[in-house]
Amino acid sequence: MEYGEEELVACCGSTRFAQQLAKASPFSSLQQAIAAARDIWFNKVDVHGWLQAFSAHPQIGQSPSPSAHSTSAQWSKGEQSTALATATTSSLQELYEWNARYREKFGFVFLICASGRSTDEILAELKKRYPNRPIVEFEIAAEEQMKITELRLAKLFSTKENVSSTGGDQ
Amino acid sequence: MEYGEEELVACCGSTRFAQQLAKASPFSSLQQAIAAARDIWFNKVDVHGWLQAFSAHPQIGQSPSPSAHSTSAQWSKGEQSTALATATTSSLQELYEWNARYREKFGFVFLICASGRSTDEILAELKKRYPNRPIVEFEIAAEEQMKITELRLAKLFSTKENVSSTGGDQ
């Protein structure tokens, strides 16, 4: 399976990550792609690249910015669908306020792999992580980013498999 | 002993660090000032603040940039005096090349508390640290920055003590 830089940026918004993973493709399986992605993300992308990837995410509970990559924005919406379905006006307001406080302390958006999590679960996690030291939180955010990237690589992989199994020569 | 924001930026180039430490002063002893500085640096300054402080340093073996804070530039020169006295043209050249390689991998300048270290020692340390993961190296650089900050706070403290003991009323 071959990946292009453009579609990889939608999985993880670090330019260095997307370039290096595109260079390392094609991959024979999703597992192989994920292993390469983990190696690049944790060993080769520098701290600026981590910050670049974090800044590609909308604030949890908010719509992606108009400038966000369209595939990434669509995926964000899907990943947050449980949260949005379980949200009340007051829980969304509380999430909004805690997000602002988090951003003020750490200098980047609160990042969590939101798939399947309710607004209350996300809010509880935010409050639990808030007292962390900035460097500790920076690493946790990078781990969450990797979980999101893995989910998105899997989506990309299955889309491509579908395309190739229904493609011209079949 | 009271510290102003301006002189604290020369000890550590993070604006948030300097603001918060100035706000926490006066201090009754150097030890108290250092304890407050450590708390602010490791618990309150975010990753952008760390990067801001790192970028205030000249590359090891190089002159500070003309835009560098003048006290900070003078201190850098003093801290690197052993390294410069022990340098040969070829060791400086090697240091220059490894610095460039380090910066390319990590996205910030190689930081080491150079006081009393020879060029060879610094070069050996750079080569030893180069294989680290970016996040690991980021934390080591922050530790080295704190060592430099402590030395500089001590200098500031003794300068002020001298001034006050020879001052008007004495």
Side-chain angles (χ1 to χ4, degrees):
Chain A
M1 199 69 60
E2 187 134 11
Y3 292 104
E5 203 178 309
E6 173 75 9
E7 53 194 359
L8 289 174
V9 161
C11 297
C12 171
S14 149
T15 317
R16 196 183 278 201
F17 171 87
Q19 281 170 348
Q20 296 210 5
L21 194 58
K23 229 170 102 185
S25 86
F27 304 108
S28 57
S29 66
L30 175 61
Q31 284 63 35
Q32 202 194 25
I34 287 177
R38 292 188 65 88
D39 176 48
I40 292 168
W41 177 247
F42 289 115
N43 301 323
K44 315 236 164 79
V45 173
D46 69 12
V47 294
H48 299 285
W50 280 12
L51 288 169
Q52 187 189 20
F54 297 171
S55 72
H57 291 275
Q59 193 165 292
I60 280 276
Q62 301 258 298
S63 299
S65 75
S67 64
H69 190 286
S70 67
T71 312
S72 169
Q74 215 180 331
W75 281 341
S76 276
K77 226 171 144 180
E79 286 152 6
Q80 294 191 38
S81 59
T82 306
L84 292 175
T86 56
T88 61
T89 310
S90 74
S91 67
L92 272 185
Q93 178 60 26
E94 205 184 345
L95 192 56
Y96 178 81
E97 285 163 10
W98 273 93
N99 261 315
R101 201 178 295 181
Y102 181 97
R103 199 180 189 120
E104 166 61 24
K105 177 173 177 185
F106 297 108
F108 48 83
V109 81
F110 174 69
L111 241 137
I112 187 164
C113 184
S115 244
R117 294 198 203 224
S118 71
T119 297
D120 283 349
E121 285 175 307
I122 291 172
L123 192 54
E125 198 59 25
L126 203 174
K127 289 180 185 173
K128 201 177 102 192
R129 280 166 50 182
Y130 181 78
N132 283 338
R133 288 173 53 216
I135 185 69
V136 171
E137 196 50 34
F138 192 46
E139 276 207 81
I140 295 176
E143 294 278 356
E144 293 297 314
Q145 170 65 63
M146 192 64 229
K147 290 183 202 163
I148 297 167
T149 306
E150 289 184 25
L151 285 180
R152 293 182 175 185
L153 283 174
K155 275 178 203 159
L156 205 59
F157 203 85
S158 74
T159 312
K160 289 190 169 223
E161 265 189 337
N162 287 340
V163 169
S164 73
S165 66
T166 57
D169 290 344
Q170 310 292 313
Chain B
M1 199 70 61
E2 187 135 11
Y3 291 104
E5 202 178 309
E6 173 75 7
E7 53 195 357
L8 290 174
V9 162
C11 296
C12 170
S14 148
T15 316
R16 196 184 278 203
F17 171 85
Q19 280 170 346
Q20 296 210 5
L21 194 58
K23 228 170 102 186
S25 85
F27 304 108
S28 57
S29 66
L30 175 61
Q31 284 63 35
Q32 202 194 24
I34 287 177
R38 292 188 66 87
D39 176 48
I40 292 168
W41 177 247
F42 289 115
N43 302 321
K44 314 237 163 80
V45 174
D46 70 12
V47 294
H48 299 285
W50 280 13
L51 289 168
Q52 186 188 20
F54 297 172
S55 72
H57 291 276
Q59 193 164 293
I60 281 276
Q62 299 259 297
S63 298
S65 76
S67 65
H69 190 286
S70 66
T71 312
S72 168
Q74 215 179 331
W75 281 341
S76 276
K77 225 170 144 181
E79 286 152 5
Q80 294 191 38
S81 59
T82 307
L84 293 174
T86 56
T88 61
T89 310
S90 75
S91 66
L92 272 186
Q93 178 61 26
E94 204 183 348
L95 192 56
Y96 178 82
E97 286 163 9
W98 272 94
N99 260 314
R101 200 178 296 181
Y102 180 97
R103 198 180 189 120
E104 165 63 23
K105 176 174 178 186
F106 296 108
F108 48 83
V109 80
F110 174 68
L111 238 132
I112 188 165
C113 184
S115 242
R117 295 193 202 228
S118 71
T119 297
D120 283 349
E121 284 174 307
I122 292 172
L123 191 54
E125 198 60 25
L126 203 173
K127 289 180 186 173
K128 200 177 103 192
R129 281 167 48 183
Y130 181 78
N132 284 337
R133 288 173 54 216
I135 184 68
V136 170
E137 195 51 31
F138 192 46
E139 275 206 79
I140 294 176
E143 294 278 356
E144 292 299 313
Q145 170 65 61
M146 191 65 228
K147 289 183 203 162
I148 297 167
T149 305
E150 290 185 25
L151 285 180
R152 292 183 177 185
L153 283 174
K155 274 178 202 158
L156 205 58
F157 204 86
S158 74
T159 312
K160 288 192 169 222
E161 266 190 336
N162 288 340
V163 169
S164 73
S165 67
T166 57
D169 291 344
Q170 310 291 312

